[in-house]
């Protein structure tokens, strides 16, 4: 079986990009170990702090963020990093070629109940010219510019799913040798599904188009969509996206009116774009409901975005509801 470095070497990934991806994985292996230790290491629970988004931070949010930040800032090929847990982007090495954004531990409300969480990362090329502008601004590129994206799902096994633009591969962490090993090549999202994932408790805050689509799903065979749907909600985007990659489905975190200043709950640069690249590379689709997520022009590093992604024919139905 091929190791991650062998797969990257054979698919034409540059040595520099490979070194950046490998450093992300060094941090992720450490996160996997620490999650496994949990209470034994006294690292479950919440800190006194809030992050820039006004969310309370778990101890493991902070630990995971520091692991990724420290290793990436020491990598000569990394120009800067942006994290869901940091107020501002961080300059790393001026001659670095890559910018890395990450959500160090997504779905962290699941940590204390021993359920699945994950790390999501996205890699962009730093603009070659030394154009004036703040460190934040160099990051503000649309999702189509990503050169790599992936996630590590910490579940019964630790899994890496990633793309460098040549399809999507699945690796399993072999803890005997401390390496991610290719266990499924070229994942493909089934085109059709009858399984949706959405936080139904927000229904009263959704736009009418989203309400209508879910109402029609709930009508089953008798409704306009003509089939009986099943529902899942893990409250961990990495786990939901992984389920969709393996057996199909549609995941939605739409715009809602709880806080009209926010375009949704999930963040474009740390969650929306990397997951969209993975899903599209596996033959699925990804939309805000009105446009492809990867075409959204970011205005700020912490921008939020409505997310509808998964099996391509089902995503097309949700988009059709929004264009009625
Ligand atoms: P986080 O980055 O603060 O962990 O939030 C993102 C998570 C996603 O993994 C998940 O889809 C969603 O938030 C769950 O939200 P909810 O609390 O509405 O169930
Ligand atoms: Mg997150």
């Amino acid at each position: 079986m091929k190791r991650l470095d062998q797969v990257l070497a054979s698919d034409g990934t540059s040595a520099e990009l490979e070194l950046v991806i490998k450093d992300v994985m060094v941090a992720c292996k450490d996160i996997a170990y620490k999650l496994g230790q949990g209470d034994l290491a006294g690292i479950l629970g919440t800190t006194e702090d809030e992050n820039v988004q006004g969310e309370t931070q778990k101890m493991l949010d902070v630990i995971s963020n520091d692991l990724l930040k420290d290793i990436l800032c020491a990598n000569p090929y990394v120009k800067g990093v942006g994290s869901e847990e940091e107020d501002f982007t961080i300059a790393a090495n001026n001659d670095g070629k890559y910018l890395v954004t990450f959500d160090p531990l997504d779905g962290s409300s699941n940590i204390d109940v021993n359920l699945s969480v994950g790390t999501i990362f996205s890699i962009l090329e730093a603009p070659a010219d030394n154009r004036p502008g703040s460190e934040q601004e160099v990051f503000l590129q649309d999702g189509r510019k990503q050169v790599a994206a992936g996630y590590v799902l910490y579940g019964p096994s630790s899994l890496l799913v990633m793309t460098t633009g040549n399809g999507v591969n699945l690796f399993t962490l072999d803890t005997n040798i401390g390496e991610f090993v290719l266990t499924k090549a070229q994942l493909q999202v089934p085109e059709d599904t009858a399984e949706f994932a959405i936080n139904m408790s927000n229904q009263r805050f959704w736009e009418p188009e989203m309400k209508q689509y879910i109402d029609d799903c709930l009508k089953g065979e008798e409704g306009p969509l003509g089939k009986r749907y099943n529902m899942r909600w893990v409250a961990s985007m990495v786990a939901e996206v992984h389920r969709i990659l393996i057996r199909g489905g549609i995941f939605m975190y739409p715009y809602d009116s709880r806080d009209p200043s926010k375009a949704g709950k999930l963040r474009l640069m740390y969650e929306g774009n990397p997951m969209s690249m993975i899903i599209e590379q596996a033959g699925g689709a990804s939309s805000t409901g009105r446009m492809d997520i990867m075409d959204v022009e970011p205005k700020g590093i912490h921008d939020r975005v409505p997310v509808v992604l998964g099996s391509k024919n089902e995503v097309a139905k949700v988009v059709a509801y929004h264009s009625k």
Side-chain angles (χ1 to χ4, degrees):
M1 276 196 281
K2 284 185 174 172
R3 295 187 316 262
L4 173 63
D5 56 334
Q6 294 169 317
V7 173
L8 292 174
S10 65
D11 79 357
T13 303
S14 71
E16 293 97 323
L17 181 56
E18 187 186 325
L19 283 169
V20 176
I21 294 168
K22 279 167 81 176
D23 270 357
V24 175
M25 287 314 116
V26 171
C28 287
K29 285 184 236 177
D30 210 346
I31 297 169
Y33 175 76
K34 289 190 162 59
L35 279 164
Q37 291 289 294
D39 251 347
L40 297 175
I43 50 176
L44 298 188
T46 302
T47 66
E48 307 278 280
D49 301 326
E50 280 189 350
N51 66 11
V52 61
Q53 339 262 345
E55 299 156 343
T56 45
Q57 287 178 305
K58 301 279 179 190
M59 263 187 260
L60 270 162
D61 281 326
V62 177
I63 293 168
S64 308
N65 184 53
D66 288 347
L67 284 170
L68 283 157
K69 187 174 66 175
D70 291 350
I71 196 162
L72 288 170
C73 285
N75 184 313
Y77 304 110
V78 176
K79 191 178 175 80
V81 300
S83 165
E84 190 182 298
E85 302 297 337
E86 298 280 339
D87 295 8
F88 304 105
T89 60
I90 301 163
N93 297 291
N94 208 25
D95 298 331
K97 191 170 167 193
Y98 296 106
L99 303 166
V100 187
T101 65
F102 50 83
D103 181 351
L105 211 50
D106 183 67
S108 48
S109 69
N110 279 336
I111 297 171
D112 294 343
V113 290
N114 203 32
L115 293 176
S116 295
V117 288
T119 297
I120 312 172
F121 64 94
S122 157
I123 305 179
L124 294 158
E125 272 181 12
D129 53 328
N130 256 339
R131 63 184 164 134
S134 70
E135 196 57 42
Q136 307 262 76
E137 283 165 358
V138 298
F139 280 83
L140 302 183
Q141 307 180 38
D142 66 61
R144 303 261 173 231
K145 311 243 168 55
Q146 294 172 104
V147 293
Y151 62 76
V152 174
L153 171 61
Y154 309 104
S157 325
S158 292
L159 304 177
L160 162 66
V161 169
M162 68 160 297
T163 179
T164 51
N166 300 305
V168 178
N169 290 324
L170 164 60
F171 302 83
T172 303
L173 179 61
D174 182 339
T175 49
N176 281 328
I177 58 169
E179 298 279 357
F180 282 99
V181 173
L182 181 67
T183 41
K184 252 189 208 119
Q186 297 296 323
L187 295 181
Q188 282 290 313
V189 181
E191 291 183 358
D192 292 293
T193 186
E195 194 163 72
F196 68 84
I198 196 164
N199 184 344
M200 286 290 292
S201 68
N202 297 325
Q203 190 180 32
R204 67 193 183 282
F205 303 115
W206 298 336
E207 294 182 303
E209 295 84 353
M210 188 52 68
K211 277 189 189 147
Q212 190 61 55
Y213 168 70
I214 294 293
D215 278 352
D216 289 348
C217 289
L218 298 181
K219 287 181 189 142
E221 298 91 322
E222 285 80 44
L225 296 168
K227 57 184 168 185
R228 181 181 299 193
Y229 284 80
N230 190 18
M231 196 196 93
R232 288 286 180 271
W233 189 248
V234 189
S236 167
M237 188 189 196
V238 177
E240 321 271 9
V241 168
H242 193 68
R243 186 186 60 247
I244 289 169
L245 274 168
I246 300 301
R247 69 170 192 223
I250 184 166
F251 167 86
M252 290 156 285
Y253 215 116
Y255 170 82
D256 70 51
S257 60
R258 278 175 295 175
D259 180 348
S261 68
K262 292 180 182 160
K265 175 176 184 186
L266 300 178
R267 278 127 299 206
L268 179 62
M269 308 291 293
Y270 317 115
E271 292 153 333
N273 278 339
M275 291 309 205
S276 299
M277 183 176 184
I278 293 166
I279 288 286
E280 283 198 14
Q281 281 286 318
S286 166
S287 172
T288 65
R290 298 195 164 82
M291 67 185 288
D292 287 358
I293 288 178
M294 285 196 288
D295 291 329
V296 173
E297 288 293 338
K299 305 267 183 314
I301 188 79
H302 295 303
D303 278 6
R304 310 219 182 204
V305 69
V307 173
V308 177
L309 58 76
S311 294
K312 110 173 163 199
N313 294 338
E314 202 61 33
V315 173
K317 285 178 197 164
V318 178
V319 171
Y321 274 77
H322 284 81
S323 54
K324 268 179 197 165

